[in-house]
Amino acid sequence: MTTYIGTATSRADGYAKVTGAAKYAGEFDATALAHASVVASTIAKGRIARIDANEALSVRGVISVLTHQNRPRMASDDSAYKDDVAPKGSPFRPLYDDQIWFSGQPVALVVAEEAEIARFAASLVRVDYNQQAHVTHLYRQRETAFALESPTDPSQNPFAPPRPRGAAEPALAAAEMRHSGEYYVPIQHHNPMELYASTVIFESGGKLKIYDKTQGVQNVQRYVCSVLGMESDDVRVLSPYVGGAFGSGLRPQYEVVLAALAARALKRSVRLVLTRRQMYGLGYRPAMIQQIELGANASGTLDAITHEAITVTSQYEDFHRQETGWSGLLYKCANARYAHKLARLDLPTSCDMRAPSAATAVYALECAMDELAVALKLDPIELRLRCYSDRDQHSDRPYSSKSLRDCYRQGAEAFGWDQRNSEPRSMRDGAELVGWGMATGIWEALQVPITVRIVLTANGHAEVSCATSDIGTGTYTIMAQVAADMLGLPIENITIQLGDSTLPQSPVEGGSWIAASVSNGIATTSKAVREELLRLAQQMPNSPLAHATPAEVMLADGKLVSKRDGSRAVSIAEAMQHGGVERINQERSTTFEHAGPHAHNTHSAIFAEVKVDEQIGVIRVTRVVSAVAAGRILNTKTASSQIMGGVVWGIGMALHEETLIDHKFGRIMNANIAEYHVPVNADVQDVKVIFVDEPDDAINPLGIKGLGEIGIVGVASAIANAVYHATGKRVRDLPITVDKLQR
Ligand code: MOS
C-alpha cells in the first residue's frame, strides 16, 4: 500500500517551524539559567602566556570566567575526544591547555546572569600570548603537503585514493586528444541559519540534559560522557530541530563541551550560543588544488584519467575524503591514476560540507570534460554518452540502477538544449552574452545500521521512534509517510520521535544515508508489528485470518487484511482488544548489505543558463535544470526542496563563496554573512528539478537511495561551463568573480 510514499506531503514540522513553536538548541529554558560567551584567540599559533579576567569578573552579573587553568576536570587522553566520525589524529580539546592551534580558538568562557553581560565581559578578558610563526596559505604549503597512499586494505582508510587501474601514463602519451588543467576551489565556510548552541540543563544528582545543535545526538552523548568522564545514564542529548548543518554538525562541536564544563563547574544550567564570527572557528570545506588530465580517442571515448589533489587540514588531524576517486568512477575508462596530498595549515580541522569531496572533485572533472568536448568538437552531452559506464569503474560491478541517460535526455529536453549554438559568444540577449553549460553529478547511495521502535495502540495510533536527527531535510515527514503506509494508518495517526539520545540507535544523519536507512528500518519493525497483530487475530474465534501466513497479510485502513481475499480482515482494535493487549511495542534493527553484487550511486544532469553583462562582466544564473536519478522518491516536495537547495549552494560555489584569510594574522577576514557572500533571492531565478524514474529492487526493499547531497554536485561546473560558452573565457578557480573575467 502506498498512499503517502511518493507524494508531495507537506512537512510534518512545517507548522511548528513557521509559527516559532519549534525550539532549537539555544531556545530551551531552565530555572536559574546562566549564559556563557566565548573569548576567542586572536593569534593563529603559539601559547597562552597569561589570562587576566579581573576586569571581566568585576562586571556586575558575571559569575565566573573559565580558562584552561581553572576548568573542571576533563579527559587528558586525546582518544577520549574521538567521536564516531573523527578523522585520524588528535582531536581539538577546548580549554584543555595553553596551546593555540588556530585564530578564533576558544581560550576562555565567561558565564554571567545574562547573555549580554557575558558577551560584554568577554570583551574585557585580557590574554597575552607567546606567538609563533603560522601558515594559513595553502599555496605556501604546497611543497610540504604529504601524500596519502592507496592502501592495500581499503578498510584501513576508506578515504584514501583508490588503487590505479591500467597504465594511465602510457595511455595518456598515446592518446589522440589530451586535456590537462589545474582547478581550484577555495575554503568555504558553513553558514547554517541556526548558530551553534548548547543549553545544558543541570539536573538533580548532577545529571545533564543537553539540547545541542548536532546531526547526531548519540554521537554527542558518547563524546560528552567520554570527555567529561560521565556515566551514560547521566547524560542525555536532545536535538528535536536543527536549523541547517550540512556536515558541520556531524562531529560534536566545542560549544557542547564548554557549556557542559560550565554547568558542572557552577552546578547550574548554562546556555552557550556561538556568534556568527565564532562559527568560522569550526570546520570548513577544505580548499582544493586539483590537476586533471584526460586522454581521449578522436571519436570521444576516454583512454586515461589522472586526478591529483591537494586539500587542507589542521596541524592536529588528517581530515580528507576520497576526493580523486570520483573522476575514475563516473566514466568508462580503462586507465586511471589518482594522487592525493594533504597540506597542514594553522586552521581548525576541515570538515564535511554537503557532498564532501564530490562537490569539489566533480567540479574539476566536469569542467575538464567540457574542455575536452570543445577540443573534440563534440556536444558535451554526446561526449558523456560516448563515455557512459553501466558498471562501477572501481569495483567493476553493475549498478543496481543507473538512470543517468534519462537524466541527460529529460534534462536537455526541459532546458531546450537542442537550441544551443555550440560556438562561444554566439548567443546574446541585448547587452548580455548568453551561455549554456551542462555537467554530470554523482553521489553515493549509502545505508547504515539503524534501529526503529514502533508502539501501536488499540485506537490505531502509532509512535515511531529512532535517535536519528532531522537536519531540515524532511526526516520527520518521510518517516511518518513510510510508517503510515506500512501500518495502514492515516498519517495524522503517526507520531515521530527523533533527535533524542535515549531513543533506539541511529548513526549521525549525514552522507544522504538516513532516508533509505530509517525508511527500511520502519519497514522491518512494521513487519514485526504486523506479525504480532496476526498472532492476536488468529487467536480470535473463527478468525478470518486463521490460516494466513505473515507474508499473506497486510495492514490497510486500520485493518489486517488478507492480500488474496480482501474480505478476510480483522481490525487492529478488535485484534488487540480480544487479545487483551493495550499496546504493541516492537523494536528491530536493520542492517544493509554493502559488498553485494551491485554498486549503488545517485546521478544527475545539470543544465545552466548564464547571462553575462559584456562590459561589466556581471554574471547572472538565469535558469537551472537539475534532472536527478535517486531511486524511489519518498516525497516529491521535500525532495525537490533538497535538490533546489543544492542548486542554490552550487550557484554560491560557482560565483560567490570564498573564505578570505589575512595571512599576516592568520585570521579570517570575512567571518560574517555580509562579507562571506552567499546567494540571495536575486541570485536565484528559475530552478527546475526533475526526478527521473529509477526503480531499484536490489538496493533495499523500498528501493530508496537518498538525495540530501546530490543536488550540489556538478552545479558549479555547469555554471562555469556556461560562463565559458557565454564569454569564451575559461576561469578555473572558483568563485568566478567579475575581476577574473577581465584578466
Ligand atoms: Mo553531510 S556533508 O554528510 O551532512
Side-chain angles (χ1 to χ4, degrees):
M1 281 287 291
T2 53
T3 308
Y4 299 102
I5 292 177
T7 63
T9 302
S10 288
R11 279 174 188 272
D13 48 339
Y15 187 81
K17 282 183 170 172
V18 298
T19 56
K23 279 192 175 184
Y24 294 83
E27 298 178 328
F28 287 88
D29 255 317
T31 43
L33 182 66
H35 299 263
S37 181
V38 167
V39 179
S41 154
T42 54
I43 67 160
K45 188 176 184 178
R47 287 186 180 274
I48 299 167
R50 203 172 67 94
I51 299 181
D52 178 357
N54 286 324
E55 203 182 339
L57 284 165
S58 72
V59 175
R60 186 209 297 257
V62 170
I63 305 162
S64 176
V65 177
L66 289 183
T67 69
H68 66 281
Q69 290 162 322
N70 67 352
R71 59 158 172 80
R73 246 178 60 82
M74 58 202 289
S76 56
D77 178 356
D78 62 44
S79 68
Y81 296 75
K82 284 267 181 195
D83 66 276
D84 293 1
V85 283
K88 187 176 150 220
S90 167
F92 174 62
R93 295 175 282 181
L95 296 195
Y96 184 72
D97 58 17
D98 61 352
Q99 180 96 39
I100 300 296
W101 296 102
F102 54 89
S103 176
Q105 174 180 325
V107 292
L109 188 76
V110 179
V111 193
E113 299 294 343
E114 290 174 26
E116 291 76 9
I117 296 173
R119 195 158 168 179
F120 169 66
S123 73
L124 304 177
V125 175
R126 305 272 163 258
V127 185
D128 296 329
Y129 301 96
N130 291 321
Q131 205 167 337
Q132 292 160 11
H134 61 258
V135 186
T136 50
H137 200 305
L138 169 57
Y139 283 89
R140 275 180 48 202
Q141 287 297 71
R142 196 172 178 161
E143 299 314 314
T144 62
F146 61 95
L148 300 167
E149 304 296 337
S150 312
T152 19
D153 173 11
S155 69
Q156 289 301 305
N157 179 2
F159 301 117
R163 275 191 289 161
R165 63 175 180 269
E169 262 65 29
L172 272 175
E176 288 173 304
M177 185 65 78
R178 270 187 300 277
H179 164 70
S180 72
E182 181 169 306
Y183 302 83
Y184 179 68
V185 179
I187 287 179
Q188 298 164 352
H189 264 84
H190 278 285
N191 275 291
M193 279 172 67
E194 183 196 8
L195 299 167
Y196 272 80
S198 270
T199 304
V200 177
I201 299 177
F202 192 83
E203 297 184 326
S204 63
K207 292 190 180 203
L208 302 182
K209 181 169 163 191
I210 303 176
Y211 291 95
D212 187 44
K213 177 191 171 81
T214 177
Q215 293 175 241
V217 282
Q218 292 181 332
N219 186 27
V220 171
Q221 192 267 353
R222 280 188 285 272
Y223 173 82
V224 169
C225 287
S226 149
V227 166
L228 299 182
M230 295 182 71
E231 293 301 318
S232 174
D233 285 345
D234 294 343
V235 179
R236 177 177 176 194
V237 178
L238 299 105
S239 179
Y241 298 103
V242 181
F246 308 103
S248 61
L250 291 170
R251 302 187 64 186
Q253 297 289 12
Y254 68 72
E255 83 287 342
V256 71
V257 176
L258 297 187
L261 272 178
R264 283 176 41 102
L266 305 177
K267 302 204 179 332
R268 114 180 226 194
S269 301
V270 174
R271 175 191 297 157
L272 170 60
V273 182
L274 300 190
T275 63
R276 183 61 61 177
R277 168 172 279 280
Q278 287 164 358
M279 300 266 286
Y280 285 75
L282 308 178
Y284 51 89
R285 192 194 290 286
M288 182 157 162
I289 304 171
Q290 39 189 337
Q291 281 166 312
I292 287 205
E293 192 155 8
L294 304 174
N297 188 295
S299 66
T301 54
L302 282 170
D303 294 325
I305 297 175
T306 63
H307 194 158
E308 302 186 356
I310 306 178
T311 58
V312 173
T313 191
S314 64
Q315 300 290 356
Y316 48 92
E317 284 177 313
D318 296 357
F319 177 85
H320 63 90
R321 292 290 178 237
Q322 197 196 89
E323 333 278 332
T324 53
W326 295 105
S327 47
L329 175 67
L330 184 50
Y331 298 114
K332 193 170 165 128
C333 180
N335 305 289
R337 182 181 62 75
Y338 320 90
H340 187 163
K341 288 183 176 173
L342 210 47
R344 293 198 186 284
L345 297 178
D346 295 300
L347 291 175
T349 305
S350 50
C351 77
D352 288 308
M353 182 186 283
R354 205 173 202 164
S357 75
T360 37
V362 174
Y363 150 69
L365 172 68
E366 287 300 284
C367 289
M369 285 293 280
D370 198 68
E371 298 198 49
L372 182 64
V374 170
L376 289 165
K377 296 189 170 54
L378 266 183
D379 180 89
I381 303 179
E382 182 56 32
L383 172 63
R384 286 162 176 86
L385 289 173
R386 291 187 192 181
C387 302
Y388 198 88
S389 174
D390 287 302
R391 298 175 81 79
D392 172 326
Q393 291 284 300
H394 291 319
S395 64
D396 196 28
R397 287 180 298 175
Y399 277 108
S400 57
S401 61
K402 179 175 174 179
S403 300
L404 177 57
R405 278 196 189 88
D406 295 334
C407 296
Y408 292 135
R409 201 182 54 245
Q410 292 182 36
E413 211 172 281
F415 188 82
W417 186 259
D418 62 348
Q419 300 299 306
R420 181 178 186 260
N421 180 336
S422 62
E423 196 58 40
R425 304 182 67 87
S426 64
M427 294 167 63
R428 288 187 166 269
D429 178 6
E432 289 177 308
L433 295 163
V434 175
W436 289 3
M438 61 82 56
T440 314
I442 179 168
W443 184 245
E444 298 173 311
L446 298 170
Q447 308 164 81
V448 289
I450 204 159
T451 307
V452 171
R453 178 167 64 230
I454 297 177
V455 178
L456 177 70
T457 42
N459 61 1
H461 279 72
E463 185 180 275
V464 180
S465 49
C466 173
T468 179
S469 302
D470 181 345
I471 60 172
T473 44
T475 309
Y476 276 109
T477 314
I478 56 118
M479 284 176 72
Q481 289 176 272
V482 173
D485 278 352
M486 296 294 141
L487 299 171
L489 296 173
I491 198 163
E492 301 75 34
N493 291 15
I494 308 291
T495 308
I496 303 298
Q497 297 287 344
L498 54 72
D500 179 342
S501 62
T502 60
L503 296 175
Q505 172 275 331
S506 170
V508 293
E509 176 164 62
S512 299
W513 56 53
I514 285 296
S517 309
V518 80
S519 299
N520 284 286
I522 290 170
T524 306
T525 308
S526 297
K527 182 167 171 273
V529 170
R530 205 170 62 224
E531 286 167 6
E532 185 170 343
L533 277 170
L534 180 62
R535 281 193 298 277
L536 294 173
Q538 290 179 331
Q539 287 161 14
M540 293 167 69
N542 305 319
S543 172
L545 299 172
H547 304 292
T549 65
E552 286 165 2
V553 295
M554 60 178 186
L555 283 163
D557 301 326
K559 285 180 289 211
L560 195 60
V561 190
S562 161
K563 288 185 197 167
R564 292 198 196 145
D565 175 358
S567 70
R568 292 182 169 274
V570 174
S571 79
I572 292 175
E574 271 182 292
M576 289 175 72
Q577 272 154 20
H578 186 270
V581 172
E582 270 171 33
R583 55 183 52 214
I584 286 177
N585 184 338
Q586 290 287 350
E587 183 172 323
R588 290 286 186 282
S589 296
T590 301
T591 54
F592 301 89
E593 169 93 33
H594 275 287
H598 292 110
H600 313 295
N601 280 100
T602 55
H603 295 88
S604 66
I606 305 104
F607 298 82
E609 176 183 86
V610 299
K611 293 189 176 171
V612 184
D613 182 296
E614 196 175 2
Q615 278 168 353
I616 308 172
V618 171
I619 303 165
R620 298 188 302 133
V621 179
T622 44
R623 287 195 298 137
V624 176
V625 172
S626 176
V628 177
R632 174 191 252 182
I633 304 305
L634 286 164
N635 182 324
T636 49
K637 193 172 185 176
T638 52
S640 288
S641 296
Q642 281 306 297
I643 301 302
M644 198 179 294
V647 168
V648 171
W649 204 335
I651 294 172
M653 184 177 172
L655 304 180
H656 308 291
E657 290 197 51
E658 179 172 24
T659 299
L660 299 166
I661 299 172
D662 182 331
H663 297 296
K664 183 163 183 285
F665 296 102
R667 188 186 305 163
I668 296 168
M669 294 188 283
N670 57 343
N672 58 74
I673 39 181
E675 293 166 289
Y676 182 94
H677 294 164
V678 294
V680 297
N681 278 3
D683 298 309
V684 182
Q685 300 189 22
D686 185 1
V687 179
K688 185 178 172 63
V689 178
I690 296 168
F691 292 110
V692 308
D693 200 30
E694 193 179 61
D696 190 332
D697 51 18
I699 185 166
N700 53 54
L702 295 178
I704 301 166
K705 285 187 172 177
L707 41 68
E709 324 203 53
I710 182 72
I712 190 175
V713 186
V715 177
S717 27
I719 293 169
N721 296 340
V723 169
Y724 167 76
H725 181 237
T727 64
K729 189 149 181 104
R730 238 353 132 170
V731 177
R732 298 190 184 89
D733 55 325
L734 296 181
I736 306 172
T737 45
V738 172
D739 55 308
K740 292 177 186 170
L741 279 184
Q742 306 295 347
R743 75 189 170 201

